[in-house]
Amino acid sequence: MELFNNNISEFLVIVICVISLNNASHCLCFTTFVFGDSLVDAGNNDYLFTLSKADSPPYGIDFKPSGGRPTGRFTNGRTISDIVGEALGAKFFPPPYLAPNTQDYAFQRGINYASGASGILDETGQLFIGRVPLRKQVNYFEESRGYMVKKMGENGTKELLKKAIFSLTIGSNDILNYVQPSIPFFGSDKVSPSMFQQFMVSNLTIHLKRLHNLGARKFLVVGVGPLGCIPFIRALNLVPTGKCSIEVNELIQGYNNKLNKVLDQLNKDLGPETIFVYANSYDIFIRIMTNYRHYGFDNANKPCCGGYFPPFVCFSRNGGNKASVLCDDRSKYVFWDAYHPTEATNIIIAKELLDGDEKFTFPINIRKLNEYNNSY
């Protein structure tokens, strides 16, 4: 009897999603597939043997669905993808792929494949041991697609996927590894900045095309933010307070420019049925840093948790709520730890990506992307 009820439940979920896909104005299920690094990891690294984890307090201290307990998110609360999903009507967050029984949620919520320390390149993050590079994340999605086909059939799966948003937030760790000469793969014989930028873009393009071949039609590709301004890079390069590493930010801007051009070409080649939206997180973050008091912040330099100097460790002493170094008011800090923004910062970025103009999302914003081609 229990097996019968489970099968009925699965059938009803499929029916609801298929009906809602045919009536976009009354859609009952928002589906998104999330790929990326620690900026959007929802807990995949909790299931890996890795040095890149956010599974202990005070991470997640402001994440209401967990009651303030860590979920594997590398911030104090919600990630940008969490906030965007909620704004577009999602009732639940896409679960991490590596969590048990995740495949069953693919129809309702989508799945999160993102992994802290991962990159576009397979070698990125190797010092952290365990991580899921973008290539493997796409492999995991292919497995999820196979599961969907078994449950919904090929046509039903195609209908679901062409309405879903595929977001990719990745590339930061590739840049960080490149600018750190101690990383073996990126040692003294590393390629020129221009060649490295092109290497990143060409590899990312391969994965975008592969996702397209698997049925993705609505892409959100997030550029790399101004890593030259994060506490880790500023401390590593002895950059004065209030300043950023020009060298690192120039490397990132060169990559973002190349990426933007490739996405523009993909839109010409594969549109209008397929669309690639470029999210200009770099300029949004620079504006927040420059005008941080306007946004209600008191500190745009130091991290809220973990301190401003190496080893930048953010943790609770003796498993309690008292952190190694934790600011009094998390809403007043731009940075949560030495690498990641606070939820307060993520909310501002998400709002600009959702409803901003072409300065920050091109050719359309995320809200319009969600509605794009829903009548096909």
Side-chain angles (χ1 to χ4, degrees), residues 157-223:
T157 299
K158 286 181 177 179
E159 283 297 309
L160 177 66
L161 296 182
K162 78 178 186 180
K163 308 297 182 184
I165 291 180
F166 287 72
S167 71
L168 294 91
T169 305
I170 200 160
S172 294
N173 291 317
D174 301 283
I175 296 290
L176 288 175
N177 282 193
Y178 181 81
V179 300
Q180 296 176 73
S182 60
I183 306 297
F185 177 73
F186 304 94
S188 58
D189 59 342
K190 62 185 178 184
V191 299
S192 69
S194 180
M195 287 184 65
F196 183 68
Q197 293 160 356
Q198 191 58 51
F199 192 42
M200 285 177 63
V201 171
S202 60
N203 276 269
L204 178 57
T205 304
I206 290 171
H207 299 310
L208 291 173
K209 289 182 176 180
R210 186 175 167 205
L211 285 171
H212 177 264
N213 290 336
L214 291 170
R217 293 297 180 264
K218 299 198 289 191
F219 291 85
L220 174 68
V221 184
V222 183

Side-chain angles (χ1 to χ4, degrees), residues 127-143:
L127 290 186
F128 290 92
I129 308 174
R131 76 274 184 217
V132 185
L134 183 57
R135 181 191 308 277
K136 195 168 185 179
Q137 293 181 33
V138 177
N139 288 346
Y140 284 159
F141 169 73
E142 188 170 16
E143 293 178 10

Side-chain angles (χ1 to χ4, degrees), residues 4 10 13 91 122 161 176 245 252 267 329 351 355 375:
F4 175 77
E10 284 183 356
V13 167
K91 301 302 181 185
D122 290 348
L161 296 182
L176 288 175
S245 169
I252 292 165
N267 278 326
D329 189 346
K351 186 178 185 303
D355 299 308
S375 60

Side-chain angles (χ1 to χ4, degrees), residues 31-244:
T31 306
T32 180
F33 296 94
V34 181
F35 304 81
D37 52 34
S38 58
L39 290 172
V40 290
D41 187 347
N44 281 304
N45 277 26
D46 286 359
Y47 300 90
L48 299 175
F49 178 75
T50 177
L51 299 178
S52 177
K53 279 183 182 286
D55 61 348
S56 61
Y59 285 95
I61 191 172
D62 298 308
F63 191 72
K64 293 180 180 178
S66 70
R69 293 184 298 274
T71 62
R73 288 167 170 81
F74 288 76
T75 184
N76 60 305
R78 294 166 296 167
T79 66
I80 294 172
S81 61
D82 291 333
I83 297 163
V84 167
E86 284 184 326
L88 295 177
K91 301 302 181 185
F92 303 96
F93 302 122
Y97 174 82
L98 294 178
N101 304 317
T102 292
Q103 302 283 32
D104 292 331
Y105 296 103
F107 309 109
Q108 303 160 285
R109 314 179 192 177
I111 296 176
N112 186 308
Y113 304 90
S115 170
S118 69
I120 296 169
L121 310 180
D122 290 348
E123 299 85 355
T124 294
Q126 60 186 355
L127 290 186
F128 290 92
I129 308 174
R131 76 274 184 217
V132 185
L134 183 57
R135 181 191 308 277
K136 195 168 185 179
Q137 293 181 33
V138 177
N139 288 346
Y140 284 159
F141 169 73
E142 188 170 16
E143 293 178 10
S144 299
R145 189 189 189 283
Y147 179 86
M148 287 185 272
V149 169
K150 288 181 181 178
K151 295 292 183 179
M152 300 177 68
E154 184 66 33
N155 291 337
T157 299
K158 286 181 177 179
E159 283 297 309
L160 177 66
L161 296 182
K162 78 178 186 180
K163 308 297 182 184
I165 291 180
F166 287 72
S167 71
L168 294 91
T169 305
I170 200 160
S172 294
N173 291 317
D174 301 283
I175 296 290
L176 288 175
N177 282 193
Y178 181 81
V179 300
Q180 296 176 73
S182 60
I183 306 297
F185 177 73
F186 304 94
S188 58
D189 59 342
K190 62 185 178 184
V191 299
S192 69
S194 180
M195 287 184 65
F196 183 68
Q197 293 160 356
Q198 191 58 51
F199 192 42
M200 285 177 63
V201 171
S202 60
N203 276 269
L204 178 57
T205 304
I206 290 171
H207 299 310
L208 291 173
K209 289 182 176 180
R210 186 175 167 205
L211 285 171
H212 177 264
N213 290 336
L214 291 170
R217 293 297 180 264
K218 299 198 289 191
F219 291 85
L220 174 68
V221 184
V222 183
V224 176
L227 299 175
C229 303
I230 68 174
F232 171 75
I233 289 294
R234 293 207 311 268
L236 191 69
N237 295 340
L238 303 177
V239 177
T241 299
K243 303 292 183 180
C244 301

Side-chain angles (χ1 to χ4, degrees), residues 292-333:
Y292 67 94
R293 293 197 182 276
H294 169 77
Y295 290 101
F297 296 111
D298 291 337
N299 197 309
N301 295 294
K302 295 181 179 180
C304 171
C305 186
Y308 192 65
F309 299 100
F312 310 107
V313 178
C314 176
F315 67 95
S316 288
R317 296 194 183 106
N318 302 320
N321 291 325
K322 182 64 176 176
S324 50
V325 177
L326 185 64
C327 64
D328 294 330
D329 189 346
R330 297 176 288 279
S331 69
K332 298 297 182 181
Y333 277 67

